[in-house]
Amino acid sequence: MIVILRPDATEDQIQHILKKAEELGLKANISRGVERTVIGFIGPEDVLRVTPLEIFPGVEQVIPVLAPYRLVSREFKKENSVIKIKKGVEVGGQKISVMAGPCSIESYDSLLAVAKKVKAAGATILRGGAFKPRTSPYDFQGLEEEGLKYLKQVGEEVGIATITEVMDPRQVELIDRYVDIYQIGARNMQNFSLLKEVGATHKPVMLKRGLSATIKDWLMSAEYILAKGNFNVMLCERGIRTFETATRNTMDINAIPLVKQLSHLPVIADPSHGTGRWDLVASIAKASVAAGCDGLMIEVHGNPEEALSDGSQSLKPENFTTLMHELKAVAKAVGRDI
Ligand code: PEP
Ligand code: MN
């Protein structure tokens, strides 16, 4: 890191900083200008979280050189990570992966019908919530384990991989038995116990960006999972809270190419939660593909009017099929397949 000293820093203060840094195992490179002294330190920056140099007398500013999210960063791994979901299904390669299905699993028959349609249209992963994080405790909370059973059965019957949300560390083992990917929802992005628990498994995890999370917060949360040993992590941009109320969230398209620069992990875009409106989903899905996402998550329901959650942002299967056709041209234009 680089330490910029105050113009009035004394020689005693400089020597004190150098002594402390040496004790911490950092090598100093001091550059004395007419007005200012700047010290470049080489070594493990982590120690500065315990002993921050900012608090030393004479220090004006400390500029870290390395990203605080180490394992997640491009500095750590140059090539894109490709996450193997199951035989024949991977995320992060040249092909854009599409996850589609209802917000909530409502019945075996409705899930089966939608799964057949999304698979026929080109989706390779079926989504469906069994434990739902609802703002109101009086809203439909999901079918819980019964829903997980339907998801597993339908996944096997149709031949499609599956993803569902895990809301609590105590559900990790149960959900492990039923699905191929853990989804960590926006509201749980900083549930650190949950991040550690899924980090201790080898199952792929899709980590959604928190409602008000900065990109750094989001990548630090992913770091929790990798730090526990699970490198099978995908990041999902699902829109953030802003002053704008015309849409449910504001889809942060910027995040897609930016996170691709900062991290080697695949980036998924969720235009359903990003907009909250079914009539905007197709445009934002196309924009996300153009921006370089590695996958899409799209809510599809056989009859959105009757959906028990998120009907207003769910596509009808026929609209999803049309969108998948349209996305081919966009993907091709940016050198990808879908
Ligand atoms: C969902 O995918 O249905 C969901 C609840 O998403 P988010 O956590 O992004 O709100
Ligand atoms: Mn939803």
Side-chain angles (χ1 to χ4, degrees), residues 18-252:
L18 291 173
K19 186 163 167 281
K20 191 71 210 176
E22 198 185 329
E23 282 169 22
L24 295 172
L26 301 167
K27 278 205 174 65
N29 207 318
I30 186 157
S31 137
R32 292 173 193 271
V34 181
E35 297 275 333
R36 299 258 184 166
T37 297
V38 171
I39 315 175
F41 285 109
I42 299 170
E45 290 195 355
D46 286 0
V47 296
L48 300 178
R49 268 191 274 286
V50 185
T51 311
L53 287 183
E54 281 96 340
I55 61 172
F56 279 68
V59 173
E60 184 171 283
Q61 203 188 348
V62 177
I63 306 168
V65 175
L66 297 178
Y69 36 86
R70 200 180 320 143
L71 304 173
V72 159
S73 75
R74 275 271 177 213
E75 286 157 14
F76 178 78
K77 185 168 179 254
K78 296 239 170 330
E79 323 78 58
N80 289 331
S81 283
V82 179
I83 315 292
K84 292 201 170 35
I85 309 298
K86 62 193 295 188
K87 209 162 169 272
V89 182
E90 51 184 39
V91 179
Q94 124 90 9
K95 190 171 150 60
I96 293 166
S97 311
V98 180
M99 310 177 183
C103 179
S104 302
I105 299 162
E106 298 173 2
S107 70
Y108 181 81
D109 291 341
S110 62
L111 186 65
L112 179 65
V114 127
K116 285 181 178 163
K117 288 181 178 158
V118 298
K119 186 185 173 182
T124 51
I125 300 164
L126 176 65
R127 67 149 285 148
F131 293 93
K132 294 302 302 175
R134 306 305 302 278
T135 301
S136 166
Y138 308 115
D139 286 342
F140 178 57
Q141 301 287 308
L143 295 181
E144 304 189 341
E145 189 169 0
E146 192 191 344
L148 296 176
K149 287 183 180 157
Y150 298 161
L151 188 55
K152 186 172 166 69
Q153 285 168 16
V154 168
E156 283 167 3
E157 191 170 332
V158 176
I160 187 166
T162 53
I163 180 169
T164 203
E165 176 160 355
V166 53
M167 293 212 305
D168 186 296
R170 290 166 296 186
Q171 295 164 350
V172 169
E173 218 180 298
L174 172 78
I175 290 182
D176 177 50
R177 287 188 253 132
Y178 291 103
V179 300
D180 300 307
I181 309 170
Y182 292 121
Q183 172 173 325
I184 296 196
R187 290 154 196 82
N188 268 312
M189 188 202 82
Q190 286 186 318
N191 180 339
F192 300 116
S193 314
L194 179 59
L195 300 175
K196 287 181 192 171
E197 199 73 23
V198 297
T201 75
H202 297 293
K203 195 175 277 272
V205 180
M206 186 178 82
L207 178 64
K208 289 189 136 193
R209 180 176 180 183
L211 277 72
S212 304
T214 64
I215 284 173
K216 185 173 159 198
D217 295 336
W218 184 21
L219 295 177
M220 289 307 288
S221 286
E223 186 78 12
Y224 265 87
I225 307 173
L226 274 72
K228 278 282 171 191
N230 188 352
F231 277 61
N232 298 315
V233 175
M234 298 164 262
L235 298 161
C236 177
E237 167 58 48
R238 45 79 71 204
I240 49 174
R241 279 243 163 115
T242 67
F243 57 81
E244 182 57 79
T245 54
T247 50
R248 181 178 180 181
N249 290 297
T250 296
M251 186 68 177
D252 185 6

Side-chain angles (χ1 to χ4, degrees), residues 97-101 114-127 160 271-272 278 281-282 285-286 296-302 304 313-328 338:
S97 311
V98 180
M99 310 177 183
V114 127
K116 285 181 178 163
K117 288 181 178 158
V118 298
K119 186 185 173 182
T124 51
I125 300 164
L126 176 65
R127 67 149 285 148
I160 187 166
S272 305
W278 73 270
V281 167
K286 290 174 202 166
L296 289 166
M297 169 168 265
I298 297 178
E299 287 185 338
V300 181
H301 193 284
Q313 65 192 35
S314 299
L315 293 187
K316 291 182 180 166
E318 53 272 28
N319 290 338
F320 176 71
T321 305
T322 307
L323 172 60
M324 288 296 281
H325 282 296
E326 292 171 357
L327 284 171
K328 283 189 197 311
I338 194 161

